[in-house]
Amino acid sequence: MKIFTNREHAGRELARRLHREVNCKDAIVLALPRGGVPVGYAVAQALRLPLDILVVRKLGVPSQPELAMGAIASGDVVVLNDDIMHMINGSQALVEEVSRIERDELLRRERTYRGDLPPLQVAGRTVILVDDGAATGATMRAAVRALQQQHATQVIAALPTASVEAFHLLKQEADQVVCLQIPELFYSVGEWYQEFAQTTDQQVMDLLARARSMNITQSA
């Protein structure tokens, strides 16, 4: 299995696979902040496609925030991880409580990253949805459903790496899944990168600004 140098390297590798396997003509790239944005930027740059973001927030178990019981996305989309919900004996009240907190952060990030610019129109278009990896697949599944609600013609989930479970769950949701590697033993996304520092808000804004200057960004 390949260890990526960093997210940019993973994005370039992912772009090569997409170029071979996917009809990218007239597609748009939507990246999941924050870690998916450097990957998505590299994909959009290589394929000369418009770039935007789709904000999704993980619903972490309060006692174990890194354990995702689900995710929310723009448009009031909620996806739950049934196995985790069963394991923690999770309730609807718990989901609503965590969702309320994460929805505030989702709206903050949308305002911070995009400013006054409108989101890309996805209706009737092919969307290449990019993240830096998927352990449970909950955030990517929420994003796929949000795009389907917005009437995207086709949603292609594109990932450098994913767990076997996440890969199969995504295949049930997305029109196509392009993943460079699917390790049988998968503990975290970060283990497949040499450099996996947290992406900052400023880095996300800088990459989107750079994409705009290269004409590979938002246009309605």
Side-chain angles (χ1 to χ4, degrees):
M1 289 290 176
K2 188 180 186 69
I3 301 294
F4 303 107
T5 304
N6 51 32
R7 290 180 176 91
E8 292 76 15
H9 172 221
R12 292 192 298 271
E13 295 287 323
L14 190 55
R16 278 193 277 270
R17 176 73 69 83
L18 287 163
H19 182 71
R20 292 196 305 267
E21 297 184 5
V22 175
N23 180 5
C24 297
K25 184 179 180 181
D26 297 326
I28 59 175
V29 176
L30 294 187
L32 302 189
R34 291 180 291 209
V37 176
V39 183
Y41 175 82
V43 169
Q45 184 181 42
L47 299 178
R48 304 300 303 170
L49 295 175
L51 172 69
D52 197 2
I53 54 168
L54 178 61
V55 182
V56 180
R57 292 294 297 169
K58 177 175 67 178
L59 300 178
V61 177
S63 60
Q64 296 175 266
E66 291 305 311
L67 185 62
M69 60 181 177
I72 60 171
S74 300
D76 291 326
V77 175
V78 180
V79 174
L80 297 179
N81 186 326
D82 293 334
D83 290 340
I84 301 299
M85 288 294 290
H86 178 74
M87 183 180 75
I88 67 171
N89 195 26
S91 65
Q92 184 62 33
L94 176 64
V95 171
E96 290 176 357
E97 177 186 351
V98 177
S99 296
R100 185 166 54 251
I101 297 170
E102 293 300 338
R103 191 169 288 111
D104 289 342
E105 177 62 13
L106 185 152
L107 294 173
R108 183 198 71 80
R109 289 194 180 196
E110 285 189 332
R111 289 192 299 267
T112 298
Y113 299 151
R114 190 179 285 114
D116 295 330
L117 290 172
L120 280 172
Q121 297 298 310
V122 303
R125 304 182 75 172
T126 293
V127 177
I128 300 174
L129 184 65
V130 178
D131 202 358
D132 55 11
T136 67
T139 52
M140 188 67 99
R141 290 168 59 209
V144 169
R145 292 186 188 182
L147 292 170
Q148 290 168 340
Q149 287 186 5
Q150 296 176 54
H151 307 293
T153 299
Q154 184 180 29
V155 181
I156 300 164
L159 297 155
T161 186
S163 68
V164 174
E165 175 190 24
F167 177 76
H168 286 298
L169 286 172
L170 281 169
K171 285 190 71 174
Q172 297 173 24
E173 303 270 0
D175 296 289
Q176 186 174 350
V177 181
V178 176
C179 186
L180 299 182
Q181 55 188 27
I182 310 160
E184 289 187 13
L185 294 177
F186 191 103
Y187 299 108
S188 69
V189 172
E191 69 181 314
W192 301 101
Y193 289 81
Q194 291 179 16
E195 177 188 321
F196 198 68
Q198 186 178 63
T199 305
T200 66
D201 285 350
Q202 189 61 53
Q203 287 172 316
V204 170
M205 291 185 287
D206 289 346
L207 287 170
L208 290 175
R210 195 183 308 169
R212 283 194 292 273
S213 70
M214 298 177 65
N215 297 318
I216 56 170
T217 190
Q218 311 167 78
S219 57

